[in-house]
């Protein structure tokens, strides 16, 4: 059974720092991996999707990598800003249907 | 264009009552998913609709939960005889290319259900 783990559960950094969020999964047979952002009381916003054949994707200050063989993905946020404060969720699509989520990393960026 | 919409945004009900939650997916998206996010728990899959195929109900926690999708568009999740443990945020998502490696799921804002 696929399990997705995110470390750390919470992270506090000062504005301007570069940071890395980690996601690991137990079964490497995946279609893709998505990173989402969730603001308090809100739904999920898709940040990046990495297909199983890809190694990384970039969008602005965000860069996500995927190492399928080791079951790991990282989300790199450059030059963090207070507006980046949110919960970041990692999810794998294993069967082309439902996503399996980690429990998220709650990020707080102080000014 | 419009994203995924859900209604109501908040629902408070008494234990034992039935509730209906609605999801309106992005126009043209053939796949629709329901997930549940409970306090302290991660997001868990409930049910998946794809076109005219039989839905994948493997995530439904009990037979009190059911869902339908009419005309390949709007979906309703029904919870009968609600229990306090049903309190959660119910999220709906839709996508256009299920089964492909590039398929992205887009989520609605959710319905927060509180069972007293």
């Amino acid at each position: 059974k696929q399990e997705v783990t995110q470390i750390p559960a919470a992270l506090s950094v000062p504005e301007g720092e570069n940071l890395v969020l980690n996601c690991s999964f137990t079964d490497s047979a995946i279609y893709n991996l998505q990173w989402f952002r969730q603001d308090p009381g809100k739904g999920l916003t898709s940040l990046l999707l990495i297909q199983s054949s890809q190694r990384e994707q970039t969008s602005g200050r965000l860069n996500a990598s995927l190492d399928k063989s080791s079951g790991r993905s990282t989300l790199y946020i450059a030059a963090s800003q207070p507006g980046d404060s949110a919960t970041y969720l990692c999810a794998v699509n294993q069967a082309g249907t439902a996503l399996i989520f980690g429990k998220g990393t709650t990020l707080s960026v102080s000014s | 264009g419009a994203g995924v919409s859900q209604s109501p945004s908040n629902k408070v009900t008494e234990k034992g009552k039935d509730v209906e939650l609605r999801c309106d997916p992005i126009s043209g998206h053939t796949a629709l998913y329901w997930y549940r996010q409970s306090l302290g728990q991660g997001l868990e899959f409930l049910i998946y609709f794809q076109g005219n195929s039989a839905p994948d109900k493997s995530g439904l926690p009990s037979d009190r939960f059911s869902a339908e999708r009419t005309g390949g568009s709007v979906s309703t999740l029904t919870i009968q005889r609600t229990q306090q443990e049903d309190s959660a945020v119910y999220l709906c998502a839709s996508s256009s290319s299920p089964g492909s490696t590039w398929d992205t799921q887009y989520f609605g804002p959710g319905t927060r259900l509180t069972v007293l």
Side-chain angles (χ1 to χ4, degrees):
Chain A
K1 177 187 172 185
Q2 178 75 271
E3 292 183 0
V4 180
T5 303
Q6 291 188 247
I7 294 173
L11 181 63
S12 292
V13 299
E15 181 176 8
E17 271 205 10
N18 302 323
L19 57 100
V20 174
L21 307 181
N22 296 293
C23 172
S24 61
F25 47 95
T26 55
D27 188 338
S28 62
I30 63 171
Y31 276 59
N32 59 49
L33 183 145
Q34 272 187 268
W35 282 94
F36 293 90
R37 168 184 174 139
Q38 186 174 33
D39 293 283
K42 305 289 186 181
L44 276 62
T45 300
S46 180
L47 298 174
L48 290 164
L49 179 145
I50 311 177
Q51 298 180 52
S52 57
S53 59
Q54 297 175 327
R55 297 283 294 185
E56 67 177 341
Q57 283 288 329
T58 298
S59 176
R61 294 182 293 109
L62 305 179
N63 176 277
S65 68
L66 175 64
D67 184 341
K68 222 173 57 161
S69 61
S70 67
R72 293 180 184 177
S73 176
T74 62
L75 179 66
Y76 175 83
I77 303 177
S80 58
Q81 303 171 357
D84 295 331
S85 298
T87 296
Y88 291 80
L89 293 159
C90 166
V92 299
N93 187 326
Q94 189 169 22
T97 57
L99 295 174
I100 301 168
F101 285 84
K103 293 193 175 182
T105 294
T106 299
L107 173 66
S108 176
V109 181
S110 56
S111 56
Chain B
V4 178
S5 60
Q6 293 186 246
S7 61
S9 55
N10 280 284
K11 177 71 176 180
V12 179
T13 190
E14 294 180 348
K15 178 180 172 181
K17 301 280 190 181
D18 298 352
V19 295
E20 286 189 353
L21 312 179
R22 176 188 168 107
C23 172
D24 207 334
I26 294 172
S27 178
H29 279 192
T30 59
L32 186 148
Y33 313 79
W34 284 97
Y35 295 87
R36 176 169 75 172
Q37 187 172 34
S38 306
L39 191 64
Q41 302 288 326
L43 270 144
E44 55 177 340
F45 163 72
L46 296 177
I47 188 169
Y48 159 64
F49 295 90
Q50 163 54 14
N52 296 320
S53 302
D56 176 358
K57 304 179 183 179
S58 60
L60 294 179
S62 78
D63 58 9
R64 296 186 295 105
F65 288 71
S66 63
E68 63 177 19
R69 188 179 185 193
T70 53
S73 181
V74 171
S75 176
T76 302
L77 177 69
T78 301
I79 309 173
Q80 295 179 311
R81 305 180 303 281
T82 52
Q83 304 293 312
Q84 289 183 332
E85 60 263 29
D86 299 334
S87 296
V89 176
Y90 290 81
L91 292 159
C92 176
S94 70
S95 71
S96 60
S97 306
S100 68
T101 58
W102 58 87
D103 188 50
T104 300
Q105 294 188 20
Y106 296 92
F107 282 76
T111 293
R112 180 173 297 277
L113 175 66
T114 302
V115 182
L116 301 176

